[in-house]
Structures are given as structure tokens and as C-alpha cells.
């Protein structure tokens, strides 16, 4: 199965669950002639979208927070709707508080945004039915919780877990073969290396492709995804060490066979835990008795990977387990700290939350004046279109309007040509499924498919061309308001891109220092691995910032060419350092001339100064090293990084 299809399969099952959560209440509302039951369908739909994935406990907890919060805002919003000024203030407060959830993580931000949408919908409803609508919505959300956590739990990270399990299974097979060949004087080591290394590389490439496809389909970060990517890095690191271990075993190393057997057992345990998610036996805590630094490092890192694979939802980055009894307290403490850190006027999260609050209040008031019967759509559109960044807001505005017009046309055709409620309910199934699948990949398709579902669920008892026309006009009004809000003190990437590039260059300098230290002195390689991971995070952050810059209007873009060059050659420089380090893991350490080391650090420092202060440096002659191709590449990529700071 290809990685792209593998990661779509969980979204397909999630879409079917969402369709079930919507269609059954919708059908009951139509058959029993109780329009208020549409709140059940709305609760089921938004509850399904609030599902953050992960373990049953993690998703049930998140969706329970969404359900309780939604019940409260629907009840209070409906009660306060009789006083427009109070209602506008209420939705502004909810918008500000819920938007701060972005500081915690991606799933929390999604739930916060959905709560703001629920508040906007509730504030436009008649106050007399607030309590009944609140518990109907909560019942629909609980129905979605039951579907996703009890009846039919889906595991979006399962494709990556299975792919990684195969990697560790192949590593175990490679270690088994090394242990057997080490006791056979007639063993064909070349054939063994050829066959097993090919298999491990094949599974690594498949896991890497699955990881990229999965990351592209899911916004925000989750502990499971983070830990799985760390495990993929562990597998790549351990693969090089197993290759070096095979060389030791072929040369008759005394500990190599015993080490290979222990690594094989650990790798098989990791593979089983990844696929089944069973806790398994605790990781070994006995002292590592081997004398070889290579063998000691391989066992140490494999044990850490085993601990990390035991519970992907709560482990720290260093593989140290967190007690289950304290998981909730730790999570709440971290969330509170993230929100507290964001409560500063200079924080982009705080600025966006304030912008959302003002936009919510303005859209609510403008909607009541311009479209009294459908004011919800003005507020909802303004909320979903307004993004933390100007470029993303303008792009989403265009996609929202186009998707709504086309989706509204589909809804008109469905309502005017289909009278049978059963057929209409059945047609909602493929629309809801397709909307969930396309949600993270194409917003315009998501809106196109979502509009008929929302129109049928919320306006089925007031159908017609007029309803669709009003909806399109309301969306245009809400989108225009969001665009105006985004243009007032716009949050652009101009400053953030420079900071992201500087942080990337700082991480690259630390990694280069660590690599030079390991290569010259043979010091602790574990620290170097951590520095490599920090650099990977910094590179990804810089790339995301560059992508946001490219999405902004042309007059707001600046320095994108140099940013692309810096990111590209920072990656190549780090890859060269990694190649030098891994080559030294099982053989002699190459000598990096001091002139090359100074050249690399000088180039990184010059690029950072140019990024932050626009400082330029004079041209210099290329630095060459007649020692190895890799060291020459190191000097070459450092020179290319330095060129970004050279005066034209």
C-alpha cells in the first residue's frame, strides 16, 4: 500500500463516523418533524471535527472538554441574545479565550476555534430555547464521542506505526543474522550486508514517505506524531550503528555477537509495541557491561526507543517515562504555562486572540443589522476566514467565497429536486465523508462539500433560492470584515522569518560545534543526537515561516530568495556533518582542519548577523581541504551560506 493511500484510510473511517453522527439525527429530525433535533446533527458533526485522534483517553478527554464548553456557551449565548450589546461582549470574550488555546497545541487550537463557532451560532438563536438546544447539541457531541472512542475508534497514526514496526523488525532480523554469522567462519558477510541493508533501507524509505504524507494531512502537532518522528530518527541512527557492529563482528569483536542478540530482542519488542500498542515488559535497567563505545551507544539508544514506544502519548523527548498518575497534572501544568507565556502584547497568539475578539463582536453586530434572520453566517464566516497571518486570511477568504457559491448551488439542486428525506439523508453521507477527507488538504473543496451539509442541517425547513442567496451575501460580508481585521496591524512574517532563520542558524552552529567536538575528541554522541533533533525542529520552523511569507501579498514579501538559500544550504551542511559523524561511528575519525572549522562557524555567524541586522561581509577566497570529499563539501556549503551576507 502506498504511503498516501495508507494515511487516507484512517481519514476515510473518520469521515464515515462523522457522516453517521450527522445523518441519523438529521433523518430523525425530518421524520419526526422536530427541527430542533437538527442540533443533535450539528453537535455530532462538530464533535466529530473536534476529535484530536490519539488514545481513547486522550480523544475522549478533549471531546468532553469541547462538549462541556459548547453546552455552556450555547446556554449562556442563547440567554444573553436578548441583549445585543451583552451578547456581543460575550462572544468577544469567548473568542479571545478560545483563541489563546492555539498556544497549547494544534488540536487545542482547533477545539477552541470550534467553540467560537458554536458561540456564534448560539448567539443568533431565540433565547427561549437555549437550554434545550444546549443539551441537544451536547447529546450529539456525546454521540460523536461514543462513536470515536468506544464503538469505532480510529487510529490516524496507525500507518506510520506499522511502517516503523517493519523498520525495527528488519533491524532485528539484521541483528539476528549478525549474531549467527559471527559464529560461522564460512559466513558470507558481503551477501548478508547486501540483503539486510537493502531491506532496512526499503522500510526506512517507506516509513519516511508515510511520515511526510501523514504530516501533510494533519495540521498542528500531537505527542504521538512527535514521538513517532523521533523513533524514525532513532531507527536511522541505529541502522548506521548496526552496520558498524557488523564490521566489528566480521573482524572478530568479542562483544559483537552478544550485543547483536540483545539489540535483536529489543528491536522486536519495539516493533510489537508500535503495532499493537500493548505496554509489554519494562525496558531493561541492568547496567550495560560491554566495553565498546559503539555497542554501548547502540544498546543505550535502543533501550530509550523501547521506553518511548511503550506509551507514545506521554513520553518526553528523551525517552523518560512519565508516571500515568501524574500525566493529567503535567498536561494541565504545561497547558497553563503555554497560555501564560502567550499573555503578552508581543505574542502573535495574544495579538490574534485580540483580533478575533474584536472581529467576533463587530461581525455579530453587523450581522444583526444587515441580515437579521441569518446573522450567524456573517459571524461564522468572519471567524473561520480570519487566520493568524495576513496571507493565509486572504487566501482563505477567496476559497471560502468560491466554495460557498458552488456548494450553495449544489444545495439548491438537492433541495429543489429531492423530496424524499431518506434519499436526502443518504446523500449527506458521501458529502460528509468527502468533507472530512479533504479538510486538511484543500479548504476550497472542504467548503464546497460542507456547505450543502450545513444548509440542509440548519436551513432544511426554510429552503429555497433566497436562503442560498442570503448565505452567499452573508459570507461575502463576513469575509470582507475578516479581511479588514487582518489588514489592521497585520501579522506578517517579515519579522518572524528573520527570527526563525536566526534560530535555525543558532541551532546549526551548536550542531557544528558538537560534531567537531565528537570528531576531534570522541566525546558523548548522545548530546550530538539531541542537537541534531533541535536543528531539525529549527529547520522545519524556518520552512513553515517561509511558506507563510510566500502566501502573503507581494508587497509584504521580503528576503524570500535569501531565506530559501539559507534553508537549503543549512540542510546540506547539516547533512554533511551527519555523514562525517556516522562514518566515524564504526571507523577512524576524520580530522577536520581548524581552518575549516573556523570557516564554518564564521559563515554561520555572518549569515545570522545579516539576517538580523542586514550586516554585510567582504568576499573571501574559497577554503579548500585536500583531505576528503566530505570535508570539501563542508567548506563549499559553508561558503554558500556566507554568500548570503556578502555585499553585492
Amino acid at each position: 500500500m502506498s504511503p498516501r493511500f495508507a494515511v487516507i484510510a484512517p481519514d476515510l473511517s473518520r469521515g464515515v463516523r462523522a457522516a453517521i453522527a450527522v445523518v441519523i439525527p438529521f433523518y430523525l429530525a425530518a421524520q419526526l418533524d422536530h427541527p430542533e433535533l437538527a442540533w443533535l446533527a450539528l453537535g455530532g458533526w462538530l464533535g466529530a471535527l473536534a476529535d484530536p485522534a490519539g488514545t481513547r483517553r486522550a480523544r475522549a478527554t478533549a471531546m468532553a472538554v469541547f462538549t462541556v464548553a459548547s453546552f455552556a456557551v450555547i446556554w449562556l449565548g442563547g440567554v444573553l441574545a436578548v441583549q445585543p450589546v451583552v451578547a456581543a461582549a460575550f462572544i468577544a470574550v469567548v473568542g479571545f479565550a478560545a483563541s489563546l488555546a492555539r498556544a497549547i497545541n494544534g488540536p487545542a487550537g482547533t477545539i477552541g476555534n470550534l467553540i467560537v463557532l458554536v458561540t456564534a451560532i448560539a448567539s443568533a438563536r431565540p433565547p427561549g430555547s437555549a437550554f434545550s438546544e444546549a443539551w441537544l447539541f451536547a447529546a450529539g457531541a456525546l454521540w460523536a464521542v461514543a462513536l470515536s472512542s468506544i464503538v469505532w475508534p480510529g487510529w490516524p497514526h496507525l500507518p506510520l506505526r506499522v511502517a516503523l514496526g517493519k523498520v525495527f523488525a528488519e533491524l532485528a532480523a539484521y541483528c539476528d543474522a549478525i549474531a549467527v554469522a559471527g559464529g560461522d567462519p564460512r559466513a558470507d558477510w558481503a551477501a548478508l550486508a547486501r540483503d539486510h541493508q537493502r531491506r532496512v533501507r526499503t522500510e526506512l524509505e517507506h516509513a519516511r514517505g508515510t511520515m511526510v504524507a501523514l504530516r501533510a494531512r494533519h495540521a498542528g502537532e500531537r505527542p504521538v506524531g512527535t514521538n513517532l518522528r523521533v523513533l524514525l530518527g532513532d531507527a536511522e541512527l541505529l541502522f548506521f550503528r548496526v552496520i558498524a557492529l557488523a564490521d566489528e563482528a566480521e573482524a572478530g569483536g568479542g562483544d559483537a555477537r552478544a550485543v547483536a542478540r540483545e539489540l535483536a530482542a529489543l528491536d522486536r519488542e519495539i516493533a510489537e509495541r508500535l503495532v499493537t500498542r500493548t505496554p509489554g515488559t519494562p525496558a531493561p535497567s541492568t547496567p550495560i557491561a560491554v566495553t565498546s563505545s559503539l555497542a554501548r551507544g547502540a544498546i543505550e539508544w535502543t533501550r530509550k526507543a523501547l521506553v518511548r514506544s511503550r506509551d507514545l502519548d506521554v513520553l518526553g523527548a528523551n525517552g523518560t517515562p512519565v508516571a500515568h498518575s501524574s500525566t493529567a497534572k503535567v498536561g494541565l501544568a504545561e497547558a497553563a504555562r503555554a497560555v501564560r507565556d502567550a499573555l503578552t502584547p508581543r505574542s502573535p497568539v495574544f495579538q490574534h486572540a485580540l483580533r478575533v475578539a474584536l472581529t467576533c463582536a463587530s461581525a455579530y453586530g453587523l450581522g444583526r443589522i444587515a441580515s437579521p434572520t441569518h446573522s450567524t453566517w456573517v459571524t461564522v464566516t468572519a471567524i473561520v476566514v480570519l487566520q493568524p497571518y495576513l496571507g493565509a486570511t486572504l487566501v482563505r477568504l477567496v476559497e471560502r467565497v468560491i466554495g460557498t457559491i458552488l456548494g450553495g448551488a449544489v444545495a439548491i439542486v438537492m433541495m429543489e429536486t429531492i423530496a424524499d428525506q431518506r434519499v436526502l439523508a443518504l446523500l449527506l453521507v458521501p458529502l460528509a465523508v468527502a468533507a472530512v477527507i479533504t479538510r486538511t488538504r484543500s479548504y476550497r473543496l472542504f467548503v464546497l462539500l460542507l456547505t450543502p451539509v450545513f444548509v440542509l442541517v440548519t436551513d432544511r425547513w426554510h429552503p429555497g433560492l433566497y436562503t442560498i442567496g442570503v448565505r452567499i451575501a452573508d459570507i461575502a460580508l463576513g469575509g470582507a470584515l475578516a479581511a479588514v481585521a487582518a489588514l489592521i496591524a497585520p501579522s506578517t512574517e517579515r519579522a518572524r522569518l528573520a527570527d526563525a532563520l536566526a534560530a535555525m542558524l543558532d541551532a546549526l552552529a551548536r550542531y557544528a560545534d558538537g560534531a567537531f567536538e565528537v570528531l576531534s575528541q570522541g566525546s558523548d554522541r548522545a548530546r550530538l543526537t539531541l542537537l541534531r533533533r533541535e536543528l531539525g525542529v529549527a529547520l522545519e520552523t524556518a520552512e513553515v515561516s517561509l511558506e507563510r511569507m510566500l502566501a502573503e501579498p507581494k508587497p509584504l514579501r521580503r528576503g524570500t530568495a535569501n531565506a530559501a538559500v539559507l534553508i537549503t544550504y543549512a540542510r546540506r551542511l547539516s547533512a554533511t556533518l551527519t555523514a562525517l559523524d556516522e562514518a566515524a561511528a564504526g571507523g577512524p575519525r576524520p580530522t577536520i582542519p581548524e581552518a575549516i572549522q573556523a570557516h564554518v562557524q564564521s559563515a554561520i555567524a555572518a549569515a545570522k548577523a545579516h539576517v538580523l541586522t542586514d550586516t554585510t561581509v567582504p568576499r573571501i577566497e574559497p577554503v579548500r581541504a585536500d583531505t576528503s570529499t566530505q570535508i570539501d563539501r563542508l567548506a563549499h556549503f559553508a561558503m554558500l551560506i556566507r554568500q548570503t551576507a556578502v555585499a553585492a
Side-chain angles (χ1 to χ4, degrees), residues 346 348 351 389 490-503 545-546 549 552 556-559 611-612:
R346 299 184 64 182
Q351 294 171 1
Y389 310 101
S491 177
T492 70
E493 282 298 311
R494 181 173 295 180
R496 281 189 295 274
L497 179 60
D499 291 339
L501 291 173
S545 183
L546 176 60
M549 170 75 85
E552 291 185 346
L556 296 178
R557 301 178 199 169
R558 188 182 67 181
V611 164
L612 293 177

Side-chain angles (χ1 to χ4, degrees), residues 43 86 98 173 179 211 228 256 291 328 352 354 453 480 499 507 523 539-540:
V86 178
M211 182 269 291
L228 287 174
T291 57
H352 179 65
L354 189 60
V453 176
D499 291 339
S523 55
L539 284 165
E540 184 175 352

Side-chain angles (χ1 to χ4, degrees), residues 310-364:
R310 180 167 185 158
D311 195 334
L312 296 171
D313 292 283
V314 299
L315 292 183
N318 61 353
T320 303
V322 178
H324 284 273
S325 60
S326 64
T327 299
K329 293 181 180 179
V330 172
L332 288 175
E334 291 179 350
R337 184 168 57 252
V339 173
R340 186 174 61 251
D341 292 343
L343 286 174
T344 169
R346 299 184 64 182
S347 166
V349 174
F350 177 87
Q351 294 171 1
H352 179 65
L354 189 60
R355 194 180 293 114
V356 168
L358 296 175
T359 302
C360 286
S362 303
Y364 176 79

Side-chain angles (χ1 to χ4, degrees), residues 150-400:
I150 302 172
V151 179
W152 186 5
W155 313 109
H157 291 92
L158 179 61
L160 182 53
R161 285 178 16 227
V162 171
L164 269 175
K166 292 180 179 179
V167 172
F168 281 98
E170 288 296 340
L171 283 173
Y174 191 8
C175 291
D176 281 334
I178 292 171
V180 172
D184 183 2
R186 296 174 298 176
D188 188 349
W189 287 95
L192 182 148
R194 182 176 59 252
D195 294 342
H196 285 280
Q197 289 179 22
R198 182 186 300 120
R199 293 174 191 168
V200 176
R201 286 195 181 97
T202 299
E203 296 301 338
L204 276 171
E205 288 301 320
H206 181 76
R208 192 178 294 111
T210 303
M211 182 269 291
V212 171
L214 184 66
R215 187 68 183 85
R217 291 196 62 82
H218 295 278
E221 188 54 285
R222 294 165 175 80
V224 176
T226 299
N227 283 329
L228 287 174
R229 283 200 295 279
V230 171
L231 281 170
L232 178 58
D234 288 342
E236 293 174 334
L237 172 67
L238 292 170
F239 178 41
F240 289 113
R241 293 191 172 181
V242 170
I243 293 174
L245 184 67
D247 292 337
E248 279 194 3
E250 184 179 5
D255 295 331
R257 292 184 64 195
V259 171
R261 291 193 188 96
E262 182 172 353
L263 290 177
L266 292 170
D267 288 335
R268 274 193 295 271
E269 182 70 18
I270 294 172
E272 183 177 354
R273 289 182 181 183
L274 285 171
V275 175
T276 64
R277 291 301 299 271
T278 56
T281 57
S285 57
T286 55
I288 301 174
V290 297
T291 57
S292 165
S293 60
L294 170 66
R296 175 179 292 275
I299 294 174
E300 195 174 80
W301 277 102
T302 308
R303 287 183 178 183
K304 287 184 178 182
L306 179 61
V307 174
R308 183 175 290 110
S309 67
R310 180 167 185 158
D311 195 334
L312 296 171
D313 292 283
V314 299
L315 292 183
N318 61 353
T320 303
V322 178
H324 284 273
S325 60
S326 64
T327 299
K329 293 181 180 179
V330 172
L332 288 175
E334 291 179 350
R337 184 168 57 252
V339 173
R340 186 174 61 251
D341 292 343
L343 286 174
T344 169
R346 299 184 64 182
S347 166
V349 174
F350 177 87
Q351 294 171 1
H352 179 65
L354 189 60
R355 194 180 293 114
V356 168
L358 296 175
T359 302
C360 286
S362 303
Y364 176 79
L366 189 60
R368 287 181 68 97
I369 296 172
S371 182
T373 58
H374 296 85
S375 61
T376 300
W377 297 119
V378 178
T379 313
V380 167
T381 300
I383 292 168
V384 298
V385 167
L386 183 61
Q387 299 297 299
Y389 310 101
L390 176 61
T393 298
L394 298 180
V395 171
R396 180 159 286 199
L397 171 60
V398 174
E399 293 181 338
R400 179 82 178 180

